Amino acid sequence: MIKKILTLLILTLSVACSQPIARKPISVSSGSNIQKSLSLNNKIKDRDEKLIKNIIKKDTLHNYLNSGNGFWYYFTKKDSISSYKPSFGDIVNFDYTVKNLNKINIYENNKFKNQEYRIDKQELFFGLREGLKLLQEGESATFLFPSHVAYGFYGDLEKIGHNIPIISEVTVNSISKSKNQN
């Protein structure tokens, strides 16, 4: 009897101590949603760039520059005396407008007057944040922002819909250097 109990106990322990069996997912996802999203984003980016390059091609009056950050711009007022451009922590006072690619105002002209922005320390859409770093005090430029560097997929939740490229005219009124700089 003791042999039977011992055998049963050893058998129970050997079964109970076996390796756990991993559960398998009910459905297998291949990442196809990510691929679809990537493909859609590339199509939107290509569409925006095509629209903007068409505007640039038709505009023979201005010398457009590629920012290197996914947008284009031209100076409407250039300062040849000053050489300081804002950097991390500087406070920039600026005015800007927001228009669609047909140059129709999305917001009133005075909506974005005397804006204050601390470079790279506050929220601002990517294109404008990077565009301000290209301007010196007193300079003005017109920026053509594809939607992915403007308000992107969500828009601004007020007047700009999703995936809308914009034109923004920006004037830097003043730059206050950060106290941490020499």
Side-chain angles (χ1 to χ4, degrees), residues 2 65-66 95 103 109 130 143 146-147 170:
I2 292 182
L65 303 168
N66 185 328
D95 304 330
K103 298 181 181 177
N109 274 341
E130 295 302 310
F143 293 91
S147 61
V170 179

Side-chain angles (χ1 to χ4, degrees), residues 52-64 74 103 142 144 167:
I52 289 172
K53 287 179 180 179
N54 193 35
I55 290 170
I56 292 170
K57 184 178 177 181
K58 289 179 181 179
D59 185 356
T60 58
L61 298 176
H62 300 104
N63 181 30
Y64 286 85
Y74 64 86
K103 298 181 181 177
T142 298
L144 284 73
I167 295 174

Side-chain angles (χ1 to χ4, degrees), residues 4-180:
K4 287 183 183 180
I5 293 175
L6 227 98
T7 307
L8 186 60
L9 183 61
I10 291 172
L11 186 62
T12 305
L13 285 175
S14 65
V15 172
C17 293
S18 67
Q19 294 293 326
I21 299 171
R23 294 186 297 167
K24 296 183 180 178
I26 295 172
S27 65
V28 178
S29 176
S30 65
S32 62
N33 287 339
I34 293 171
Q35 290 302 321
K36 286 178 188 176
S37 178
L38 184 61
S39 175
L40 178 61
N41 286 337
N42 283 332
K43 286 178 185 176
I44 292 167
K45 181 178 178 269
D46 291 344
R47 176 208 66 189
D48 288 356
E49 286 182 6
K50 184 178 178 182
L51 290 169
I52 289 172
K53 287 179 180 179
N54 193 35
I55 290 170
I56 292 170
K57 184 178 177 181
K58 289 179 181 179
D59 185 356
T60 58
L61 298 176
H62 300 104
N63 181 30
Y64 286 85
L65 303 168
N66 185 328
S67 69
N69 286 312
F71 58 90
W72 294 261
Y73 68 103
Y74 64 86
F75 286 96
T76 52
K77 182 180 177 190
K78 182 94 170 115
D79 183 358
S80 59
I81 298 171
S82 177
S83 64
Y84 186 76
K85 294 180 182 173
S87 60
F88 183 81
D90 291 346
I91 298 173
V92 178
N93 178 285
F94 65 101
D95 304 330
Y96 74 104
T97 62
V98 178
K99 300 177 180 185
N100 64 23
L101 292 186
N102 294 322
K103 298 181 181 177
I104 297 171
N105 283 336
I106 296 173
Y107 287 102
E108 305 81 40
N109 274 341
N110 61 356
K111 168 103 171 141
F112 300 113
K113 294 274 186 193
N114 289 310
Q115 299 292 304
E116 295 262 320
Y117 171 66
R118 186 175 296 271
I119 298 291
D120 294 332
K121 288 190 169 189
Q122 290 177 276
E123 276 300 309
L124 198 61
F125 71 85
F126 178 79
L128 186 55
R129 189 170 64 227
E130 295 302 310
L132 286 170
K133 295 176 191 175
L134 300 171
L135 302 177
Q136 301 170 153
E137 189 171 297
E139 289 186 330
S140 298
T142 298
F143 293 91
L144 284 73
F145 295 122
S147 61
H148 70 279
V149 297
Y151 291 95
F153 176 76
Y154 293 105
D156 74 344
L157 304 176
E158 201 173 323
K159 288 189 173 191
I160 300 173
H162 65 281
N163 299 321
I164 302 294
I166 61 170
I167 295 174
S168 187
E169 296 167 349
V170 179
T171 299
V172 173
N173 302 318
S174 65
I175 300 171
S176 300
K177 291 183 182 180
S178 171
K179 292 179 182 170
N180 296 333

